[in-house]
Amino acid sequence: MKFLNIKASAVAAIIIAGISSHAAIAALSDASTMSADITFTGPLTVSNVLTPVSGLSAGTHNSGKVVANGTITSTGGASRHYIALGMPGSLTGSASGTTQFPLSIKGKNDSNNAILVAIIRPSNTPASAGSTRCTELGLTCNTDYILYSTATNGVSTYNVTLNGTQDVKADTYTVQTTAYAYGD
């Protein structure tokens, strides 16, 4: 009898194992297959063109007088264009986060001559404009913020203007701007 009990126990174990394996198969779900389109875009590039206004003459000029027009273009899906006066490492952006901090530009022929300029975005620039802290972008600025505007079809514009009413002396004044493009 003992032999039969061992044999019956072995058969019962095999049956239980078989039932368990069928139970596991019965619990298997339907397959779920997914695919994803992986896109590689071209590199983000930016171009900054600054064109002086022609026909400017020495004399008294009101604040806001446009002295140069700028156009920023980008490729690679830029959603914002950042703009500041100066060169990388010594950018002059916005102290308050709302308006451009003015910068004094000395005359090339006589360093005693100077004009005070600022960057503004023209009225046709989209309302979605503002500023970002320079440190958030990893930029070194002598102000806290850098101005930006939304890139419309990869293009945005800005003006360099006189800041305050000024008696401008006859001279050549070199204004330098630096632009960056930001892509999401």
Side-chain angles (χ1 to χ4, degrees):
M1 281 307 260
K2 198 172 189 180
F3 174 71
L4 188 57
N5 282 342
I6 293 173
K7 193 174 182 183
S9 296
V11 169
I14 291 171
I15 291 171
I16 291 171
I19 292 171
S20 296
S21 68
H22 286 306
I25 292 173
L28 183 63
S29 70
D30 292 336
S32 173
T33 305
M34 293 301 298
S35 62
D37 293 333
I38 300 170
T39 304
F40 292 86
T41 60
L44 189 60
T45 62
V46 65
S47 172
N48 180 22
V49 176
L50 185 62
T51 306
V53 171
S54 61
L56 295 173
S57 58
T60 302
H61 294 279
N62 292 330
S63 184
K65 171 80 173 172
V66 176
V67 295
N69 299 299
T71 302
I72 305 168
T73 57
S74 60
T75 60
S79 59
R80 284 185 180 170
H81 289 153
Y82 292 91
I83 187 68
L85 290 166
M87 297 173 39
S90 64
L91 298 172
T92 299
S94 172
S96 64
T98 55
T99 58
Q100 168 70 44
F101 193 78
L103 183 66
S104 180
I105 307 292
K106 293 185 183 277
K108 279 180 131 179
N109 302 316
D110 184 347
S111 62
N112 291 317
N113 296 335
I115 57 173
L116 195 60
V117 296
I119 292 174
I120 63 165
R121 294 168 297 240
S123 59
N124 65 348
T125 298
S128 54
S131 61
T132 300
R133 286 195 176 276
C134 292
T135 54
E136 290 178 25
L137 299 170
L139 298 175
T140 302
C141 302
N142 55 21
T143 52
D144 291 334
Y145 297 89
I146 186 168
L147 300 174
Y148 73 80
S149 59
T150 301
T152 305
N153 297 321
V155 178
S156 63
T157 60
Y158 64 95
N159 293 331
V160 176
T161 66
L162 294 177
N163 188 273
T165 300
Q166 301 174 51
D167 183 21
V168 179
K169 305 292 184 208
D171 207 331
T172 301
Y173 303 88
T174 302
V175 176
Q176 189 171 34
T177 61
T178 299
Y180 298 91
Y182 174 83
D184 294 322

